[in-house]
């Protein structure tokens, strides 16, 4: 039912050995894919669904995508304060949040900075494999306009502007 879904991945994807399979998931879903700092080499600028890195130390446009999503699928990330900024309650404010983490302690509501609407305690690679299997024959919604908007924000609010490339 999501109109504006986002795939957010963290270092847990590396640790589970799911680097290649999460790229397959991103391609299959065709939605904005955003890595945390610990996963910057998984979804890179040449990945067609890369909508930029998230966090307090990135270009502003990148955070617009997460802030305006209605479904956040976070795999292998604890969604720390470096991602959310100071007001955790406003992070992805209208999104249903699905958080997948192998560490059950990270999913407990007392320790979790961002509360998941659905917390899944599972290895990232196993979760991604099962999700891909379940999506194999599914006809997915057309999220092209949402993806285009996310990519537009990434370019429009880039921290590196064309004039920065000039050599003086």
């Amino acid at each position: 039912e999501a109109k504006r879904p986002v795939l957010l991945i963290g270092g847990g994807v590396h640790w589970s050995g799911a680097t290649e399979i999460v790229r397959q998931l991103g391609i299959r879903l065709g939605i904005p894919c955003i890595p945390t700092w610990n996963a910057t080499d998984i979804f890179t600028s040449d990945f067609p669904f890369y909508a930029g890195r998230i966090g307090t130390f990135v270009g502003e446009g990148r955070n617009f995508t997460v802030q305006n999503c209605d479904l956040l699928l976070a795999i292998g990330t604890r969604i720390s304060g470096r991602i959310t900024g100071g007001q955790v309650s406003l992070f992805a404010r209208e999104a249903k949040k699905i958080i997948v983490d192998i560490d059950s302690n990270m999913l407990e509501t007392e320790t979790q900075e961002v509360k998941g609407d659905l917390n899944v305690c599972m290895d990232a690679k196993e979760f991604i494999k099962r999700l891909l299997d379940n999506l194999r024959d599914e006809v997915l919604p057309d999220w092209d306009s949402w993806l285009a908007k996310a990519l537009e924000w990434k370019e429009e609010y880039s921290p590196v502007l064309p004039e920065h490339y000039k050599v003086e």
Side-chain angles (χ1 to χ4, degrees):
E1 296 176 14
K3 303 287 187 234
R4 301 178 317 275
V6 167
L7 177 58
L8 176 67
I9 62 156
V13 171
H14 269 301
W15 299 320
S16 71
T19 300
E20 288 304 318
I21 196 168
V22 80
R23 288 187 191 119
Q24 293 172 27
L25 178 62
I27 291 167
R28 175 67 178 107
L29 293 173
I31 61 175
C33 296
I34 298 177
T36 65
W37 277 100
N38 290 330
T40 57
D41 58 339
I42 296 176
F43 292 141
T44 54
S45 60
D46 60 344
F47 188 73
F49 305 102
Y50 172 74
R53 285 187 313 271
I54 189 169
T56 55
F57 301 109
V58 298
E60 294 169 5
R62 275 65 170 205
N63 292 332
F64 289 160
T65 301
V66 170
Q67 286 305 99
N68 288 285
C69 73
D70 63 359
L71 176 66
L72 180 69
L73 175 55
I75 304 174
T77 176
R78 61 186 175 96
I79 312 179
S80 71
R82 286 191 171 185
I83 294 171
T84 64
Q87 294 182 299
V88 175
S89 64
L90 297 177
F91 177 76
R93 63 197 178 277
E94 295 179 13
K96 179 174 185 174
K97 298 166 190 76
I98 301 171
I99 302 173
V100 180
D101 201 302
I102 197 167
D103 186 346
S104 61
N105 291 324
M106 287 294 158
L107 296 173
E108 291 177 9
T109 55
E110 303 84 48
T111 58
Q112 200 175 22
E113 290 185 52
V114 172
K115 308 300 182 213
D117 295 292
L118 176 62
N119 292 326
V120 179
C121 185
M122 186 176 210
D123 175 74
K125 188 172 187 177
E126 187 61 29
F127 177 84
I128 295 165
K129 280 182 183 179
R130 289 185 188 189
L131 182 55
L132 278 170
D133 285 346
N134 285 324
L135 293 174
R136 182 172 301 138
D137 299 323
E138 290 290 319
V139 175
L140 298 177
D142 179 356
W143 291 307
D144 288 349
S145 62
W146 166 239
L147 176 65
K149 186 62 178 172
L151 297 178
E152 177 185 321
W153 282 326
K154 181 183 73 149
E155 294 306 316
E156 186 175 345
Y157 298 102
S158 175
V160 181
L161 302 174
E163 58 265 25
H164 296 149
Y165 291 104
K166 293 180 184 172
V167 177
E168 296 185 23

